[in-house]
Every structure is written in C-alpha cells, then in structure tokens.
Amino acid sequence: MQNGQILEVTAGEGYLVELSPGLISDAPGLAGRLSALLGLTDPSVRAVIVTDSNVGPLYAGKVEAALEATRPGASAGVITIPAGEESKTPLELVRVLEAMASLRLTRKDAVIALGGGVVGDLAGLAAALYMRGIRCLQMPTSLLAMVDSSVGGKTAVDLEAGKNLMGVFSQPVGVLIDPEVLRTLPAREISCGWGEIIKYAGLDGDVLAAVRTELGPCRSGIAPLPSVGLIARSIDVKRRIVSEDEKESGARRLLNLGHTAGHAVETASRYALSHGASVAIGMHILTKALVKEGKLPRAMLEDLEELLRQAGLPSSIPPELLARADLDFSIDALLAVASHDKKSAGSGVNLVLPIAPGRAEVRKVSWEDFRAMLETGL
Amino acid sequence: MQNGQILEVTAGEGYLVELSPGLISDAPGLAGRLSALLGLTDPSVRAVIVTDSNVGPLYAGKVEAALEATRPGASAGVITIPAGEESKTPLELVRVLEAMASLRLTRKDAVIALGGGVVGDLAGLAAALYMRGIRCLQMPTSLLAMVDSSVGGKTAVDLEAGKNLMGVFSQPVGVLIDPEVLRTLPAREISCGWGEIIKYAGLDGDVLAAVRTELGPCRSGIAPLPSVGLIARSIDVKRRIVSEDEKESGARRLLNLGHTAGHAVETASRYALSHGASVAIGMHILTKALVKEGKLPRAMLEDLEELLRQAGLPSSIPPELLARADLDFSIDALLAVASHDKKSAGSGVNLVLPIAPGRAEVRKVSWEDFRAMLETGL
C-alpha cells in the first residue's frame, strides 16, 4: 500500500483532494473523514449517498456504515441511478431531486457522489440545485472521475442537443479517492482514464515523463493501473489550472485539449466510444493535422500514437464503427455537433493546440480552419 | 408620466434595477439600454427572449424590435412557455434549454426574461444552467415580479415535492421595469403584488406609511395601482437585504415573512390561491397567533386586516376553498408541506415573526410551536 496524498484546490471556498489507498475499507478512518468534511457532529445534519447500479452494490454499504458509525441516523439513505452514460439526463436528474425531497433533506444536509463521471456530474448538479444548493462530497470510483471530473466543480447532464449543456460550476466540499477500488474496474474503464492522463501529458512535461515511464513497459495493449503518484500528478495539473480560472474564461480552456473534436466523435458514435477514447481520437486529429501542416514534428504524432496504443486507446475511429450504417462520422456531422459545443464562440471555436511535447495553447480558430483540420487529421 | 428611478444591487457582480414608465414603448431608449446591458455592440453576441403565452403577444415584438434596432441579428428569437404556475416545472425548463440549444446560443449570448414570476424564475434558471451559465436580463411585467422575484437572483422551478425546490442563486445582469405595463394586468394580479408590498410594510416603517397612504382611500376592495415611488421603495427594501446577504444565510430570511405558512396554504390550495394571497394569509396566521398569545397588540392584527381588505386580498382561507373536497387544509397537511420547505432546518423551522409595526425578526421555532401557531392563527 502506498502513502496517501493531499492536494488543495483554491476554487470556490477551497477544498482538499485526498488520495488514500484503502480509504473505503478503513471504516473508522472513513467515518472520521466524513464526520469532519460534512460536519456530522451536528445532530441535524445528514448525508445521502448517490451512486449507480454498478458501484452501489460494491461500496455504498461501506460508506453508509461509515456514516452510521459517526452517528446513528447520519445516513439519509442511498439513491441509485442506472449505470451508464444514458443516465446522464435531465429526467434522471429530476428523479434524484425528487428522491432527495422524499428523504426530506434540508439545506444543512449533504450529498456524497459515489461513482464514476456520470454519478459525479449528475449528483454534483443535483446538490447544486436542491433548495438552491446543498453541499456535495465527491468520492470518485473510476479512473476518469478521479483524474478529471471529480475535481474542479463542473457539474452537468446532457441535453438532446449535446453533452453537458445543462449544468453549473459548483465546487465540492472535498474529494476522497481510494485508488484501491480501481482494481475492480474493467480494462475499458482503465483505458478511458488513461485518455485524460495522456491529455495532461500534453499540458505538462512532468506528467508526460511519468506517463512514458509507466506505459513504457506495456507491450500488451492492456493498460496498466497508473500509480497513485501519477494520479496525484494528473490531479495536480487540473488543480493548478482550476485554481487559477474556476469558470473557464481563460487558462481552464487548456483542459479541453482533444475535447472539441473528441466530443464530436463521441456524440457521433452515440457513446459507443468511451470519453477517454474520444479524447484520444480528438488529440490525434489535431496533432496529425498540425504535423501535416508542418507545424509540429512528426515525432510528436508517433509518440502520441505509441502512448495511446500502450494505454489500449484508439488513435482514430475504429473501422467497425465507421462501418455502422446508423452512425454518421462525416465532417459535416462532426461540425454540426462541434458548433453546439460550449467551446464554440460565434464565428469560430476555441481550440487547444499542441505546440510542443507537454505544452499546448488555446487559439480561436475559424470554422473553415477547423473543418480543414478535421479533413486532414481524421 | 413619472420620472424613472435607478437602484443598485450589490449582490453577485452588482447590477442596476431601473424603473422607467414607458420604457418598453420607447424603442430607441430600450434599444440603447439593451445594447449597453448585454454588450450587443459585439457582433457575435445575441439575446433570446423567454416569455409566456400571455405576455409574449403584448410585448415580445417590441423588445425584439429594439434588439434588432441595435443590430440586425441581435435577436436570437423568442421562446414562449404556456402562461401559468403549471409551467414552472423541470419539464418546461428542459424544453426551454433544448430550444436555446436549437437556436445555437453560445456562452457569450444572453437571455431576456420577459414576463411575470414564473417566466423570471424559469428563464433565470435556464440561463444559469445553459452551458453552465449565460447572462440573464430581467424584464418583469407583473407587479409581483417587479417588487419581488426579478430582484435578488433567486431562480427555480417546482418539484412534485414542493415549490422552488430546484434552482440556484444567480444574479441577473440588470432589471428593467416599465410600470406602464401594469395597466393591462388583471386585478387579481395587482392584488397578488400587493401581498408582497404589504410584506415589505411588515419589514420597513417607511413602506408601511406609504402603503397606508396609497391604500387608505381605497374602499372598493379593488386594489389601486401602487405608485412608481412605492414600487421603488419596496424594491429598495429587498435590495438592501439581498445586498447584505445574497444566499439567505441570515438577514435575507426576513424576506420570507408570511412565506412559510403561506407556501403551505398555497400548495394545499393547488395554486387556486395566488402567491400574494397566500403570503397575505401566511402573515395573518402569524400575526393572529401572536396577538392571541398576547405578544402583539390587537391593533396590529386589525391594521393588517384593513390593508389586506383594501388590497383585495384574503386574511384567511376563503370558504369556497375550504369547502372543496379535493383540497386538504388540515393542520397536518399544512405541516407536511412546511416540513419540505427550504426554510425548515431539522428540528424546527426558521420563522419570520412580526414584533412591531414595520418590524420583524427571524426566530427558529420548534415544529410543536409552529403547529400551535397554525392552530391558533388559522
């Protein structure tokens, strides 16, 4: 077992991200942390656990037991949503809110978001909306949620028109991460998380070096578990950027590296592609286009392709998806999705472009130039 | 025509409330204000008007014309919801959000909430949620929305479990009020607005004096239109309190005078009672209970009853509603609703209690004591 790490995010009122292997199985330790973070010594404060049908059976009982260990009655119950991206809807959000109301939660109570990115985003939004906002503690259980969505206060559900179009910025009161739970995560989910870690590698030279070290020995195409140190380092990149620009008016846009083309591909695949795989394809599209335009050395593209292969991620849209008659990956279809993206801004789109290994910058690109990049890079 | 008034709210990033009779009919004046408030000189910025099926046909065309007068294309269109409290639902909210997406609004664009309280609350929430928040300008057209809901940044829709349970605090970029539009407002709506004005009279001696002056000559039971000065004075009470306590952790709770019992009665009536009438009944319940307990002089109750009568508002639940078999106004039913109220806090409820003419204070009251007050005051 490795030692825990604590990182401080200064967005919102400020909060801590704690990585501690074995955290969830350590009942007294977890109880102490929950009591301190949620103020459970106040006898009128309760917490409700929001989780999904995969994670709930594994861990909700342990978290609930830890709550009850702080004080009988400190748990208000468990709300379970069906596992999967299909649950990230306004309808499911309202179901959770009605369930919170039927548990008679008050403004002093809190939500514990226990699960992957969908649970974190949806439960975070439910907490932000219930009675105009109650507190939320994030307990991410997927690699993607640990390194990305649980930190930074972005909450959302999807609209018909596009991903994450309905949401708010609302910082959690804390993030508790037990990397041990990754041992039960399916390989696809591990790869998905690597997609975001490789994104951080595109923004930070130290992460890039660590990613090379950890993926280097991997020849199987089955991604290894990242070390606790690399998870912490990834979160640290996000922490630094979010602390500087909570509401994405500047530096935070960097975190969207690979996300504009990536979201378009993800939506066009109707979520047959994981988020991490989509971001991987998105980064590859941009890098390939910039290499072909002579703006980046070919070695950067080859390096990216090698890392993606080692992490079990695709570099481009898999042939079996391209062959499906019900999916449309045409440039026009992708542009139509991208124009709905939050990053679009009238006459063009704010793209994050790689400029060197471990470095990227935000540039506003016209729709014509973005089209040309998709044509060259896909 | 009376002169305009401008008040400054310092909540959020700070914004102005402008009252100006004839504002909406003065096309060039309105265009100039919209351009300045929404930054329409930037050619990539547009505004969408959200209104309802009553207000839209009267005023949306004028506002849209003013937008287009600033710059062709500055209007992104008009989204209309069905008039009435029944529209204040998550479902209607999501319809508005999807419509905003289909108009391809970006993060730079803005919402103009043109209508009464339902439109203001719902459109304000839609703006706060769309792409994690775009700007909202409030243009209230009902007396209730002018003196209350358009100022202060409370946005919400109702859940099945209760009123305003799903929402956020999100301050508008400005509030534009044209009191001339009140001339077309039905009498019931004018009375409804007086309910909130009389509430401010319970919090502020100057408003109380002005209310007495304006309602004094009224013997018909049909409420007169309040003067622009009284509307401004009412907003000023709210402005002062909200500027001090944006998120209702302290002083802002004062604004809930009459609202705990009022919301319960309103919900129990299934909205057959207007919000203002419900607040009137709520104030009367508390005042009557305190008078019966000997904590307030009887004159305060008689004074309140006189003002409510002059404003065309009920002091208690009307007999025709009490007689309806499908409605349950029992103490148990009212307490069940009140316990869901946002103002409830575990073991009791934060009640606003009148303590003298023009003065009230917040006190936490146990559920037992609140039950007793309902029994005495109803």
Side-chain angles (χ1 to χ4, degrees):
Chain A
M1 199 184 301
Q2 299 168 73
N3 282 330
Q5 302 223 19
I6 293 187
L7 302 165
E8 184 178 0
V9 186
T10 57
E13 298 179 13
Y15 55 95
L16 301 179
V17 180
E18 178 177 355
L19 286 95
S20 189
L23 179 78
I24 292 185
S25 304
D26 169 20
L30 181 57
R33 286 174 176 88
L34 294 176
S35 180
L37 283 165
L38 301 176
L40 297 174
T41 47
D42 179 336
S44 66
V45 173
R46 296 184 302 156
V48 65
I49 298 163
V50 177
T51 188
D52 73 22
S53 51
N54 282 344
V55 174
L58 294 171
Y59 304 115
K62 291 186 176 184
V63 178
E64 192 165 31
L67 282 173
E68 289 292 304
T70 69
R71 192 190 77 236
S75 169
V78 179
I79 298 172
T80 305
I81 66 173
E85 184 78 25
E86 307 72 37
S87 286
K88 203 172 160 181
T89 60
L91 187 67
E92 199 61 42
L93 171 73
V94 173
R95 282 204 195 110
V96 169
L97 286 165
E98 294 284 5
M100 288 165 69
S102 73
L103 293 171
R104 302 180 161 271
L105 296 185
T106 77
R107 280 186 166 170
K108 298 175 79 174
D109 294 330
V111 168
I112 297 174
L114 177 71
V118 171
V119 165
D121 284 8
L122 186 148
L125 181 55
L129 287 170
Y130 185 74
M131 294 188 172
R132 299 199 184 94
I134 66 173
R135 296 166 302 148
C136 182
L137 173 69
Q138 292 283 347
M139 292 187 68
T141 60
S142 74
L143 181 56
L144 182 79
M146 288 179 189
V147 297
D148 184 18
S149 53
S150 67
V151 177
K154 279 193 179 179
T155 73
V157 294
D158 302 335
L159 292 182
E160 296 283 335
K163 268 177 75 76
N164 295 329
L165 288 182
M166 175 182 181
V168 293
F169 289 98
S170 180
Q171 302 294 334
V173 293
V175 184
L176 290 182
I177 298 177
D178 181 355
E180 289 290 313
V181 304
L182 297 178
R183 298 191 186 284
T184 58
L185 206 66
R188 176 190 147 104
E189 294 291 318
I190 298 293
S191 289
C192 175
W194 273 104
E196 290 287 349
I197 294 176
I198 293 172
K199 176 196 80 178
Y200 292 119
L203 302 175
D204 185 286
D206 289 345
V207 173
L208 177 58
V211 164
R212 282 187 179 133
T213 304
E214 298 197 13
L215 286 179
C218 173
R219 295 275 155 256
S220 62
I222 296 176
L225 281 182
S227 69
V228 175
L230 179 52
I231 295 172
R233 220 185 266 271
S234 298
I235 295 170
D236 194 50
V237 176
K238 178 149 191 183
R239 181 197 68 73
R240 285 201 314 263
I241 292 176
V242 168
S243 296
E244 187 183 325
D245 171 28
E246 181 177 352
K247 298 205 172 163
E248 197 167 307
S249 49
R252 186 162 183 171
R253 290 182 180 146
L254 281 173
L255 295 172
N256 293 322
L257 175 60
H259 279 63
T260 303
H263 272 171
V265 167
E266 186 176 4
T267 304
S269 82
R270 297 199 192 149
Y271 306 105
L273 284 166
S274 76
H275 180 68
S278 305
V279 170
I281 294 168
M283 286 188 283
H284 190 265
I285 289 171
L286 292 194
T287 308
K288 185 174 165 189
L290 291 168
V291 166
K292 284 204 182 175
E293 289 175 28
K295 290 178 180 158
L296 285 181
R298 171 154 300 273
M300 267 188 74
L301 183 63
E302 289 164 358
D303 192 36
L304 175 64
E305 288 173 349
E306 175 72 1
L307 293 178
L308 295 179
R309 191 162 41 239
Q310 289 165 334
L313 289 166
S315 293
S316 50
I317 302 166
E320 66 271 21
L321 291 183
L322 287 173
R324 271 175 55 177
D326 62 327
L327 301 179
D328 181 1
F329 290 104
S330 67
I331 305 282
D332 284 340
L334 297 179
L335 280 171
V337 179
S339 70
H340 268 318
D341 199 281
K342 290 186 296 302
K343 291 166 282 297
S344 84
S347 57
V349 58
N350 288 310
L351 272 193
V352 189
L353 301 179
I355 51 175
R359 280 184 58 207
E361 66 178 24
V362 180
R363 214 174 299 159
K364 182 153 178 188
V365 171
S366 71
W367 289 110
E368 294 70 32
D369 288 350
F370 185 50
R371 170 185 286 273
M373 293 186 83
L374 288 177
E375 282 165 351
T376 339
L378 255 174
Chain B
M1 197 183 304
Q2 299 168 73
N3 281 330
Q5 302 224 21
I6 293 187
L7 302 165
E8 183 177 2
V9 186
T10 57
E13 298 178 11
Y15 54 96
L16 301 179
V17 180
E18 179 177 355
L19 286 96
S20 188
L23 179 79
I24 291 184
S25 305
D26 168 19
L30 181 56
R33 286 174 176 89
L34 294 176
S35 180
L37 283 165
L38 301 176
L40 297 174
T41 47
D42 179 337
S44 66
V45 173
R46 298 184 300 158
V48 65
I49 298 163
V50 178
T51 187
D52 74 23
S53 52
N54 283 344
V55 175
L58 295 171
Y59 304 116
K62 292 187 176 184
V63 178
E64 193 166 30
L67 282 173
E68 289 292 305
T70 69
R71 191 189 80 237
S75 169
V78 179
I79 298 171
T80 305
I81 66 172
E85 184 77 25
E86 307 72 35
S87 287
K88 203 172 161 180
T89 59
L91 187 67
E92 199 61 42
L93 170 73
V94 173
R95 282 203 194 110
V96 169
L97 286 165
E98 294 283 7
M100 289 166 69
S102 72
L103 294 171
R104 301 181 161 273
L105 297 185
T106 76
R107 280 186 166 169
K108 298 175 79 173
D109 294 331
V111 168
I112 297 174
L114 176 70
V118 171
V119 165
D121 284 9
L122 186 148
L125 181 55
L129 287 170
Y130 185 74
M131 294 189 171
R132 298 200 184 92
I134 66 173
R135 295 167 302 150
C136 182
L137 174 69
Q138 291 283 348
M139 292 187 68
T141 60
S142 74
L143 181 57
L144 182 77
M146 288 178 189
V147 298
D148 183 18
S149 53
S150 68
V151 177
K154 278 193 179 180
T155 73
V157 294
D158 301 335
L159 293 181
E160 295 284 334
K163 268 178 75 76
N164 296 328
L165 287 183
M166 175 181 181
V168 293
F169 289 98
S170 180
Q171 302 294 334
V173 294
V175 184
L176 289 182
I177 297 177
D178 182 354
E180 289 290 312
V181 305
L182 296 177
R183 297 190 187 285
T184 57
L185 205 66
R188 176 188 147 102
E189 295 291 318
I190 298 293
S191 289
C192 175
W194 273 106
E196 289 287 349
I197 294 175
I198 294 171
K199 176 196 80 178
Y200 292 119
L203 302 175
D204 183 286
D206 289 345
V207 172
L208 177 59
V211 165
R212 283 190 179 130
T213 305
E214 298 197 15
L215 286 180
C218 174
R219 296 274 157 257
S220 61
I222 296 176
L225 280 182
S227 69
V228 175
L230 179 52
I231 295 174
R233 220 185 266 270
S234 298
I235 296 172
D236 195 51
V237 176
K238 179 150 190 181
R239 181 197 67 73
R240 284 202 315 265
I241 292 176
V242 168
S243 296
E244 187 183 325
D245 171 28
E246 180 177 353
K247 298 203 172 164
E248 199 167 306
S249 49
R252 186 162 182 170
R253 290 182 179 144
L254 281 172
L255 295 172
N256 293 323
L257 176 60
H259 279 62
T260 302
H263 272 171
V265 167
E266 186 176 4
T267 304
S269 81
R270 298 202 190 147
Y271 306 104
L273 283 166
S274 76
H275 179 68
S278 304
V279 170
I281 295 168
M283 286 187 286
H284 191 264
I285 289 172
L286 291 194
T287 309
K288 186 173 165 192
L290 291 167
V291 166
K292 286 205 180 173
E293 290 173 28
K295 291 179 179 155
L296 285 181
R298 170 155 301 274
M300 266 188 77
L301 182 64
E302 289 163 356
D303 192 35
L304 175 64
E305 289 173 349
E306 175 72 1
L307 294 178
L308 295 179
R309 189 162 43 238
Q310 289 164 333
L313 289 165
S315 293
S316 49
I317 302 167
E320 64 271 21
L321 291 183
L322 287 173
R324 271 174 56 176
D326 61 328
L327 300 180
D328 180 1
F329 291 104
S330 66
I331 305 280
D332 284 339
L334 297 179
L335 279 172
V337 180
S339 70
H340 268 317
D341 199 280
K342 291 185 294 302
K343 293 168 280 299
S344 84
S347 56
V349 58
N350 288 310
L351 272 193
V352 189
L353 301 180
I355 52 176
R359 280 183 60 205
E361 66 177 24
V362 180
R363 212 174 304 158
K364 184 155 177 187
V365 171
S366 71
W367 288 111
E368 293 69 34
D369 288 350
F370 185 50
R371 169 185 287 273
M373 293 186 83
L374 288 177
E375 282 166 353
T376 338
L378 256 174

